[in-house]
């Protein structure tokens, strides 16, 4: 089956194209006149990943008038070769009155920004090789623009390929690579020893001048010697020629190799870069968030701190040489990947302006560093954590880094005092169930008995990232505050082992259950299960923190809670994040069946727009040429998904 592009009428204007180019090439946004177009040219709004809009058209006074203006449905289906679409989790771009969105199957679609009419669609047929190793199905989170002079291109990372598209036609650029695409696994360390179909790019790539910078995703289910090694690769954006490659697991004689005992660096993969990266173009720096090495829950084959896994790494963007690094988790056993794109922020601390990079984590920390040096803005303390274990061959690391500021934005650790408590009887039952597991503070190791950890493996923070208001210095973060059970067992003990066929690991996590529950599905710990937090980065303090989301109807309607006064905000877990606007609003879907607006100063809920599906992506906002401000969010997944646009009603 051949790749195809459907090219429909794409309205354009030379003058507006040049204006858009000048606006977005620098990543800037200008509110301009009420009728002027204001773009959202990157998945995270700008190259600094602030997720901030200068628009004030929608504000605290009129946001309650928002209505659904249009919808676009990807209409992707299950395919005979086993491919399955998962969540529709992309964030759209808007450039020159055109919306660009990637779908679950990594199709790229251009839509009219005024009404959602489809202009063209490009299908890379990522499903042609069958289901990817994620098992849960295909998902994708966005594309990246690049201007060559006045001409706009889009870069798409799809599975093991990098594709360059003409943004006007939706067709691959024939001068890039081979017919517009590159094979990302070519020339990689251990090429031929790992299956390139295990690569699963989901995040948008990064750009710097004429370089396109690419990492890759790799499911936790893949765990064996010589599985794909984590890397960042830089390519010439015009030709596709490789410029440099940096590997997250060092080789013999390189810095960090001594943190892998018994030469485990020579066979250990993962530590990959599945989250988006961030470029400081002024300083020529690339900020790279890495993930857990293989395997995610058992480290007996890789004893040591394991640099540069679960590390924020700063590279020279032109050469790939490491400038500085900070490891946020030593010898990771909890799947605490760095999940979010680092945010470049400027704030004033003790009267001094600081240009910083902020990395949020699954364990619920916001690590803040000076960009050029990597010096922590506030002290980070290496503290003792539980290191005793009953898992054969395991040696948990005895200390972990804790920032003194800001405070953790997620709930951490688990004790019997955290038990579900909406009635005394249910609390007693939950506590009895809890005693079957190992409990303890954050970083309590996995165990044969089963350890309840919080945050769970999905965070805390996740790929939805943070939103930063440059005028106030406040960072907004959504947290998921649910547990996970890390029970370790022999990988061959169970016929229904979810790692069968993609693992030769001796020990793996046993998924029964994934989270600790009781009474037929109630969470073992008390609500709320999600929060929205505002952090003042000028002081390092939490400004406000509120429960986020209505939460599960299953919990609300559980027979054990009949007649119980259930909180209105149980909290909705989920990875999607928030955006913030000059108009005083924080918009977030966060996995709930509504789009919400909060007052950014107080954390008060001031509007919600009910949706027929759960939100599955982080929203974005723009002003179209008509002068109308829209807020877009992806919803649903599988065969029932839609990009939904909200706006105020048009004036007659």
């Amino acid at each position: 089956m051949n790749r195809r592009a459907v090219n429909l009428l794409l309205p354009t204007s030379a003058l507006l194209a040049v204006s858009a180019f000048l606006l977005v090439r620098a990543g800037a946004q200008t509110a301009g006149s009420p009728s002027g177009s204001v773009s959202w040219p990157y998945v995270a709004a700008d190259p600094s990943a602030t997720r901030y809009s200068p628009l004030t058209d929608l504000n605290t006074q009129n946001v309650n008038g928002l209505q659904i203006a249009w919808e676009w449905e990807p209409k992707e289906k299950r395919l005979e070769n086993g491919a399955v679409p998962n969540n529709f989790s992309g964030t759209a771009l808007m450039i020159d009155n055109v919306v660009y969105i990637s779908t679950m199957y990594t199709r790229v679609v251009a839509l009219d920004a005024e009404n959602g009419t489809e202009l063209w669609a490009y299908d890379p047929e990522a499903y042609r090789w069958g289901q990817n190793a994620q098992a849960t199905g295909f998902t994708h989170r966005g594309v990246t623009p690049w201007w060559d002079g006045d001409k706009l291109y889009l870069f798409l990372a799809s599975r093991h390929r990098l594709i360059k598209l003409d943004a006007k036609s939706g067709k691959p650029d024939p001068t890039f690579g081979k017919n517009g695409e590159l094979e990302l696994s070519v020339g990689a360390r251990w090429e031929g020893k790992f299956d390139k179909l295990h690569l699963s790019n989901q995040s948008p790539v990064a750009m710097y001048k004429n370089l396109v910078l690419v990492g890759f995703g790799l499911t936790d289910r893949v765990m064996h010697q010589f599985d794909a090694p984590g890397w960042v690769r830089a390519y010439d954006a015009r030709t596709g020629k490789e410029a440099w490659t940096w590997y997250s697991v060092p080789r013999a004689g390189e810095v960090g190799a001594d943190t892998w005992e018994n030469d485990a660096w020579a066979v250990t993969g993962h530590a990959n870069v599945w989250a988006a990266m961030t470029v400081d173009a002024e300083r020529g720096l690339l900020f790279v968030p890495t993930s857990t090495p293989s395997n995610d829950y058992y480290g007996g084959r890789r004893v040591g701190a394991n640099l540069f896994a679960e590390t924020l790494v700063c590279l020279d963007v032109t050469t790939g040489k490491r400038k500085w690094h900070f490891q946020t988790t030593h010898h990771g056993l909890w799947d605490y990947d760095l999940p979010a794109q680092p945010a470049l922020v400027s704030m004033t601390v003790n009267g001094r302006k600081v240009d910083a990079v902020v990395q949020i984590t699954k364990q619920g920390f916001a690590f803040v560093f000076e960009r050029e040096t990597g010096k922590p803005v506030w002290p980070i303390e290496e503290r003792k954590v539980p290191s005793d274990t009953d898992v054969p061959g395991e040696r948990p690391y005895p200390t972990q880094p804790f920032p003194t500021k800001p405070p953790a934005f997620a709930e951490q650790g688990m004790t019997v005092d955290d038990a579900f408590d909406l009635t005394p009887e249910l609390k007693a039952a939950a506590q009895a169930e809890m005693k079957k597991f190992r409990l303890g503070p954050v970083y309590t190791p996995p165990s044969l008995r089963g350890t309840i950890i919080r945050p769970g493996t999905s965070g805390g923070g996740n790929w939805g990232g943070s939103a930063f208001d440059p005028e106030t210095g406040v960072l907004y973060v959504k947290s998921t505050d649910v547990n996970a059970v890390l029970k370790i067992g022999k990988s061959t003990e169970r016929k229904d082992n979810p790692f069968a066929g993609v693992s030769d690991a001796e020990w793996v996590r046993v998924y029964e259950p994934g989270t600790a529950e009781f009474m037929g599905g109630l969470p073992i710990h008390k609500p709320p299960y999600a929060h929205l937090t505002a952090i003042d980065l000028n002081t390092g303090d939490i400004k406000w923190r509120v429960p986020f989301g209505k939460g599960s109807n299953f919990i609300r309607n559980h027979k054990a809670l009949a007649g119980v006064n259930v909180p209105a905000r149980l909290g909705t877990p989920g990875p999607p994040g928030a955006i913030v606007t000059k108009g005083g609003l924080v918009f977030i879907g966060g996995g709930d069946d509504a789009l919400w607006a909060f007052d950014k100063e107080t954390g008060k809920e001031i509007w919600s727009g009910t949706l027929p599906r759960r939100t599955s992506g982080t929203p974005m906002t723009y002003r179209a040429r008509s002068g109308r401000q829209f807020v877009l969010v992806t919803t649903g997944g599988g065969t029932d998904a839609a990009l939904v646009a909200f706006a105020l009603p048009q004036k007659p």
Side-chain angles (χ1 to χ4, degrees), residues 223 259-262 264 268 292-306 330-334 389 391-397 445-446 488 505-509:
M223 48 178 68
T259 67
W260 300 78
E261 296 188 21
N262 302 316
T268 305
T292 311
S294 183
N295 101 40
D296 288 53
Y297 314 105
Y298 176 71
R301 291 182 175 179
R302 52 171 176 84
V303 174
N306 304 145
H330 311 312
H331 188 69
L333 302 173
W334 304 270
T389 180
V391 178
E394 183 58 85
R395 196 197 306 167
Y397 211 79
I488 304 301
E506 182 180 5
W507 299 88
V508 296
R509 176 184 175 188

Side-chain angles (χ1 to χ4, degrees), residues 260-272:
W260 300 78
E261 296 188 21
N262 302 316
D263 292 341
W265 54 264
V267 295
T268 305
H270 283 231
N272 50 294

Side-chain angles (χ1 to χ4, degrees), residues 55-138:
L55 287 170
T56 59
D57 309 32
L58 294 174
N59 52 62
T60 57
Q61 302 303 309
N62 64 9
V63 68
N64 58 6
L66 280 177
Q67 299 176 358
I68 293 178
W70 54 261
E71 297 187 23
W72 177 83
E73 298 180 1
K75 298 180 180 178
E76 293 181 339
K77 306 295 183 184
R78 293 174 178 265
L79 299 176
E80 292 180 0
N81 60 0
V84 179
N86 193 10
N87 292 328
F88 189 16
S89 59
T91 297
L93 319 180
M94 196 290 278
I95 301 170
D96 197 22
N97 228 47
V98 178
V99 167
Y100 302 97
I101 184 75
S102 61
T103 71
M104 298 86 83
Y105 280 143
T106 73
R107 292 190 303 128
V108 182
V109 181
L111 308 171
D112 188 300
E114 306 282 1
N115 53 33
T117 300
E118 189 171 311
L119 305 173
W120 57 253
Y122 169 76
D123 187 356
E125 297 181 359
Y127 45 75
R128 79 174 81 160
W129 295 279
Q131 180 57 24
N132 60 18
Q134 293 292 132
T136 52
F138 285 82

Side-chain angles (χ1 to χ4, degrees), residues 224-549:
H224 52 77
Q225 289 188 342
F226 303 110
D227 56 16
W231 69 63
V232 178
R233 308 189 87 174
Y235 300 94
D236 186 285
R238 294 188 178 92
T239 66
K241 181 181 179 181
E242 182 182 341
W244 54 259
T245 298
W246 175 82
Y247 288 103
S248 57
V249 177
R251 289 165 286 192
E254 294 180 347
V255 172
D258 60 346
T259 67
W260 300 78
E261 296 188 21
N262 302 316
D263 292 341
W265 54 264
V267 295
T268 305
H270 283 231
N272 50 294
V273 184
W274 63 262
M277 300 175 284
T278 307
V279 173
D280 183 335
E282 180 182 351
R283 295 173 174 82
L285 302 176
L286 175 66
F287 296 97
V288 178
T290 70
S291 64
T292 311
S294 183
N295 101 40
D296 288 53
Y297 314 105
Y298 176 71
R301 291 182 175 179
R302 52 171 176 84
V303 174
N306 304 145
L307 285 173
F308 296 93
E310 292 169 304
T311 301
L312 178 63
V313 183
C314 176
L315 302 179
D316 183 314
V317 71
T318 60
T319 65
K321 302 296 183 182
R322 182 179 54 86
K323 304 284 286 187
W324 60 263
H325 71 274
F326 187 90
Q327 189 175 48
T328 59
T329 304
H330 311 312
H331 188 69
L333 302 173
W334 304 270
D335 194 15
Y336 282 162
D337 303 340
L338 291 184
Q341 183 176 3
L344 305 185
V345 304
S346 295
M347 65 271 198
T348 302
V349 179
N350 296 325
R352 181 174 70 96
K353 182 182 176 183
V354 178
D355 290 338
V357 55
V358 181
Q359 178 67 63
I360 68 167
T361 70
K362 285 187 179 181
Q363 53 266 53
F365 290 128
F367 288 92
V368 189
F369 306 95
E370 295 185 9
R371 288 185 225 167
E372 290 196 35
T373 64
K375 179 182 177 182
V377 173
W378 295 281
I380 299 174
E381 297 176 348
E382 199 72 21
R383 300 176 187 171
K384 289 184 178 181
V385 294
S387 58
D388 55 310
T389 180
D390 61 357
V391 178
E394 183 58 85
R395 196 197 306 167
Y397 211 79
T399 64
Q400 296 291 348
F402 288 77
T404 56
K405 283 189 173 186
F409 58 80
E411 300 298 315
Q412 294 183 331
M414 187 71 69
T415 72
V416 292
D417 293 335
D418 297 311
F420 192 90
D421 63 352
L422 294 191
T423 73
E425 295 77 14
L426 288 173
K427 182 175 182 179
Q431 288 179 329
E433 186 67 19
M434 278 181 162
K435 292 174 182 177
K436 298 178 182 179
F437 299 94
R438 182 177 183 181
L439 307 177
V442 64
Y443 298 117
T444 298
S447 60
L448 301 180
R449 176 185 179 187
T451 300
I452 300 178
I453 66 167
R454 189 173 57 159
T457 56
S458 295
N462 211 303
W463 51 257
S466 58
F468 177 71
D469 188 330
E471 294 189 343
T472 63
V474 176
L475 188 81
Y476 301 88
V477 187
K478 185 266 175 92
S479 63
T480 291
D481 296 298
V482 297
N483 74 76
V485 175
L486 298 188
K487 185 177 181 180
I488 304 301
K490 284 276 190 178
S491 62
T492 56
E493 283 183 353
R494 297 172 54 205
K495 292 181 180 179
D496 61 340
N497 173 15
F499 298 106
V502 286
S503 171
D504 64 5
E506 182 180 5
W507 299 88
V508 296
R509 176 184 175 188
V510 179
Y511 283 76
E512 192 178 14
T515 58
E517 300 171 342
F518 77 117
M519 297 294 290
L522 288 178
I524 205 167
H525 61 88
K526 58 190 173 185
Y529 304 115
H531 289 87
L532 181 62
T533 302
I535 302 170
D536 187 339
L537 289 182
N538 298 305
T539 64
D541 300 320
I542 290 179
K543 181 180 175 72
W544 51 256
R545 185 170 188 253
V546 297
F548 168 77

